[in-house]
Amino acid sequence: MLVCPMSCRRGAKCIACIPARRHHSHFTWFAALILSLASFTGQLRADDDRYPAEVTPFAKKYCAQCHEGDDAQAGVSFAKYADEKSMLKDRRTWEKIFNVLKAGSMPPADEAQPTPDEKAKLIGYLDDKLHRIDCTTMSDPGRVTIRRLNRAEYNNTVRDLFGITFKPAEDFPSDDVGYGFDNIGDVLSLPPLLMEKYLSAAEKVAHEALLVIDPASAPVQEFPREQLHRSNVAHPLREDLIILVSYGDVFVEYDFPRSGQYILKVSAGEQPAGDEHSKMEFRLDDKPVQQFIVKDVDPKFEHYQFALHVDRGRHKFSIAFLNDFFNETAEDKNRRDRNLIVRDLQIVGPTAVDQNEYPAFQHAFLTSMPGEGKSVADAARDDLKPFLRRAFRRPVTDDEVNRFVGLAERVAATGESFVTAMQVAVTGVLVSPEFLFRVETDKNPNDASERHAINDHELATRLSYFLWSSLPDQELMTHADAGDLHTDAVIETQIRRMLKDPKSQALVDNFAEQWLQLRILNEITPDPKAFPEFNGELREDMKRETSHFFAHIMREDLSILDFLDASYTFVNDRLAKHYGIDGVSGAEFRQVPLAGKNRAGLLTQASVLTLTSNPDRTSPVKRGKWVMEVLLNQPPPPPPPNVPELKATAQAQPDLTLRQQLELHRSNASCASCHRVMDQLGFGIENFDAIGRWRDTDGNQALDTRGELPGGRTFQGPLELTHVLRGKQAEFADSLTEKMLTYALGRGLEYYDRCTTAKIVESLKGRDFKFSVLVTEIAKSEPFRMRRGEDAK
């Protein structure tokens, strides 16, 4: 797979760099590529006249010194680009060239620089050839690979389908990530281990959703001697026995899972004495339940049991000894001391449950039961058809229903109950590809020219997994059944409704956390010696601030530009103290103004500042890289090989400030082209330490937070930097559009998607950059509402 080390930002969209964001290569190959073009002598077509006229002279004049022949830096030969046609076949590579040239990253700053006219000519040529797309004739919705549900989607889907509260996918292997997200069809493989996990999870879900009560096989919870609590008069007798030598008890505490009928059991015997047998009392929560006369002696102990109703929850089940006796003068030495001996306790059940203890799903699902002339097959078909429709997220055929009906029939034929048979059928549904995968149909799947609108049920699924990471609700399905979901008016109405729904928190948890790289924060552990204040609670507060911030902009339908410089945030008392904000008490998060606090937008939030720092100090490089990657979608490539780490520079020059060390580090020409932008951005937020607190000095050294970007734009400190970023409205809108469209589609974008992103950005500009406009325009876009077959090549 071709990879993209850069991202070009010209107005609306980089048309070639989009598809690969996971891997990057250093771009010193730029000059080598240009130089290699200078040696081409092949015949060019008439429409290639500008290619040798614009590219070759530039390469000879500015690139030949470092990039020629077999020893060209980065060892890259581009002889395959013989003409304009070959250039356009590799748009991704040429987008890199355009990007670094326009940004002023190449040629290196210490080499001869092209004149403004020379640079403008080459940029203009590449701009024209790479970016001029006639969107009135260009129409390619792309193709989304069939996608399995990722872990978050699986958990949310079974939650909404069954109403269960546990998360069965927590035990699944981690999902692979592509293009920055874990919902990309191309990387969501299905290894054998995951298939085993699917089966195990399906069984757990089915048993949680459908309660089977069979007194003959009720669950038994046994408490052997080592698990019993004892009063002071109860002592171990052997490895398996406890003896009560006086008035006292042994007990267990147990969480009864449901309100219903249980059987309390004890295996007990006595050490006889006097003229009566031992008396034993069952107690529940220290209240008498039942008394027994214990006549058995070791080793022929018997079980004593009593059935009773117990409410759901934690209760104390105890065994008390009631009639202690001791006579040391008795003639029979073996009958002088009466004691109660306990081997174990058991709780059996529930053997029956209250009607309201059955899961809500069970009441809704099993509306038809066999009997009175209705067969198992008929009842199963009645129950399964509407369930399958929800689970498969579309209408189902009779043949599909009959497959699962047959499964239930076979189980019932073995003598199992109807509910057990339906448990097995539900398990089968949950391991079906139609449930595990989001399937979309093509009449001609191998014909790339076959472009068509997805049907309304497929659109309902796209919408629900985009905004909720879960299956469509009844309202979406009703519109899909009516066939009007694809209309602009209905989509707009549904988007507004869905963003207000609490389930839209999934867009925060799954899109925002990955877009902003917040999941990295879980792996960050600042040096406890340098930052003893940092702990797990503060880490969680940092994440919650950013989550609340994103959710507020989303639900209040504010401008996406607030992400850059909003003058408010969300804190609780602990985070407020961390920021030096007074007047906040309690653990609840609330909105606070940031006027006079030197903070604004995402960039100054502690979550971002901490995840972009080293354990023991800040990192202007990481922080600048985050701005380029996340906010501007211009990720720099990784460093070239054989470049010494900054640590070595610091050890060699310990008296230098961090800024000076980085400047010395950038003396390597191959580093300077990237660091001249990254470091400048990072210096702007050096007033925040490695866990996001404000500071005026770094140790004993004054901070220099000045920055200058290519083109001469200068700033000092975080607020001026956020103003600079606010000035890049189109670039930020384009970056966020690309990221959210990638997430919504579940695929990387291609050059032809530029028409879509450009249209969305124009809509944002004309409508105050509202969050809902971004989401709605994505949902109404051609790639979201259409698909095509696969290119046979």
Side-chain angles (χ1 to χ4, degrees), residues 204-277:
K204 291 178 182 177
V205 170
H207 281 80
E208 181 76 11
L210 291 173
L211 179 60
V212 176
I213 301 298
D214 183 0
S217 58
V220 178
Q221 182 66 46
E222 185 169 340
F223 301 90
R225 193 208 74 178
E226 62 270 15
Q227 295 181 18
L228 301 180
H229 300 285
R230 310 189 307 269
S231 61
N232 292 333
V233 297
H235 308 289
L237 182 59
R238 292 199 314 254
E239 63 180 12
D240 61 338
L241 300 177
I242 288 178
I243 185 169
L244 282 79
V245 297
S246 185
Y247 301 103
D249 65 0
V250 295
F251 66 92
V252 295
E253 291 185 338
Y254 177 65
D255 286 313
F256 289 77
R258 301 181 189 277
S259 298
Q261 196 80 3
Y262 291 85
I263 298 174
L264 307 182
K265 282 187 176 184
V266 172
S267 176
E270 72 162 344
Q271 181 177 310
D275 57 0
E276 63 181 14
H277 294 288

Side-chain angles (χ1 to χ4, degrees), residues 109-130:
D110 57 352
E111 299 292 340
Q113 297 296 306
T115 66
D117 184 60
E118 289 172 319
K119 182 176 178 181
K121 283 183 178 180
L122 183 54
I123 289 176
Y125 168 75
L126 294 177
D127 191 20
D128 182 61
K129 295 301 179 182
L130 298 175

Side-chain angles (χ1 to χ4, degrees), residues 538 541 545 570-579 589:
L538 183 59
D541 288 344
E545 174 193 15
F570 293 80
V571 297
N572 61 1
D573 54 354
R574 182 167 39 236
L575 195 59
K577 181 179 179 181
H578 189 69
Y579 285 171
F589 274 72

Side-chain angles (χ1 to χ4, degrees), residues 16 79 148 185 365 383 508 518 623 658:
R148 68 166 173 82
F365 176 51
D383 295 335
V508 182
L518 290 182
R623 288 177 173 180
L658 179 58

Side-chain angles (χ1 to χ4, degrees), residues 30 58 97-104 106 119 122-123 126:
F30 164 71
F58 190 98
I97 300 169
F98 175 84
N99 205 35
V100 296
L101 182 63
K102 187 176 181 182
M106 282 292 176
K119 182 176 178 181
L122 183 54
I123 289 176
L126 294 177

Side-chain angles (χ1 to χ4, degrees), residues 127-411:
D127 191 20
D128 182 61
K129 295 301 179 182
L130 298 175
H131 301 142
R132 303 303 181 197
I133 300 176
D134 185 357
C135 292
T136 62
T137 60
M138 172 62 104
S139 177
D140 190 342
R143 178 178 177 83
V144 180
T145 302
I146 183 174
R147 273 188 286 169
R148 68 166 173 82
L149 304 181
N150 65 19
R151 294 199 301 175
E153 292 168 342
Y154 187 97
N155 280 335
N156 291 347
T157 299
V158 297
R159 176 201 67 197
D160 295 339
L161 188 58
F162 297 99
I164 64 173
T165 56
F166 74 98
K167 296 181 177 181
E170 294 301 293
D171 193 36
F172 292 178
S174 297
D175 296 308
D176 290 329
V177 175
Y179 310 102
F181 299 103
D182 61 6
N183 68 339
I184 304 300
D186 285 340
V187 301
L188 286 172
S189 58
L190 183 57
L193 174 61
L194 181 56
M195 194 64 238
E196 294 177 12
K197 296 290 186 181
Y198 276 145
L199 180 57
S200 176
E203 292 173 340
K204 291 178 182 177
V205 170
H207 281 80
E208 181 76 11
L210 291 173
L211 179 60
V212 176
I213 301 298
D214 183 0
S217 58
V220 178
Q221 182 66 46
E222 185 169 340
F223 301 90
R225 193 208 74 178
E226 62 270 15
Q227 295 181 18
L228 301 180
H229 300 285
R230 310 189 307 269
S231 61
N232 292 333
V233 297
H235 308 289
L237 182 59
R238 292 199 314 254
E239 63 180 12
D240 61 338
L241 300 177
I242 288 178
I243 185 169
L244 282 79
V245 297
S246 185
Y247 301 103
D249 65 0
V250 295
F251 66 92
V252 295
E253 291 185 338
Y254 177 65
D255 286 313
F256 289 77
R258 301 181 189 277
S259 298
Q261 196 80 3
Y262 291 85
I263 298 174
L264 307 182
K265 282 187 176 184
V266 172
S267 176
E270 72 162 344
Q271 181 177 310
D275 57 0
E276 63 181 14
H277 294 288
S278 298
K279 292 181 180 179
M280 175 178 65
E281 184 173 73
F282 284 11
R283 295 173 180 171
L284 190 68
D285 298 329
D286 296 324
K287 296 179 180 179
V289 170
Q290 180 70 15
Q291 289 187 10
F292 299 90
I293 302 298
V294 179
K295 303 178 181 179
D296 309 293
V297 295
D298 186 32
K300 296 181 178 180
F301 287 2
E302 294 292 335
H303 274 104
Y304 298 83
Q305 66 183 53
F306 183 75
L308 77 167
H309 182 278
V310 183
D311 290 332
R312 175 199 295 257
R314 194 168 186 82
H315 297 279
K316 178 182 177 182
F317 170 35
S318 54
I319 303 300
F321 179 33
L322 300 180
N323 60 336
D324 182 38
F325 174 84
F326 178 75
N327 181 3
E328 62 180 354
T329 63
E331 293 183 5
D332 187 345
K333 295 180 179 180
N334 293 323
R335 297 184 63 87
R336 291 178 176 177
D337 189 7
R338 182 190 306 138
N339 297 305
L340 179 66
I341 302 174
V342 176
R343 174 172 288 143
D344 60 50
L345 277 64
Q346 293 181 9
I347 298 175
V348 181
T351 58
V353 297
D354 298 349
Q355 190 64 24
N356 60 5
E357 285 294 324
Y358 285 97
F361 170 79
Q362 189 160 343
H363 289 292
F365 176 51
L366 298 180
T367 59
S368 181
M369 299 290 286
E372 297 183 0
K374 180 170 286 190
S375 67
V376 168
D378 290 339
R381 186 174 294 105
D382 291 342
D383 295 335
L384 282 169
K385 188 169 184 177
F387 170 70
L388 282 169
R389 185 176 181 277
R390 284 211 71 204
F392 292 175
R393 306 171 285 273
R394 59 169 175 78
V396 292
T397 67
D398 289 341
D399 286 343
E400 288 176 316
V401 177
N402 288 337
R403 285 201 294 271
F404 296 99
V405 170
L407 184 59
E409 277 189 298
R410 288 192 292 274
V411 174

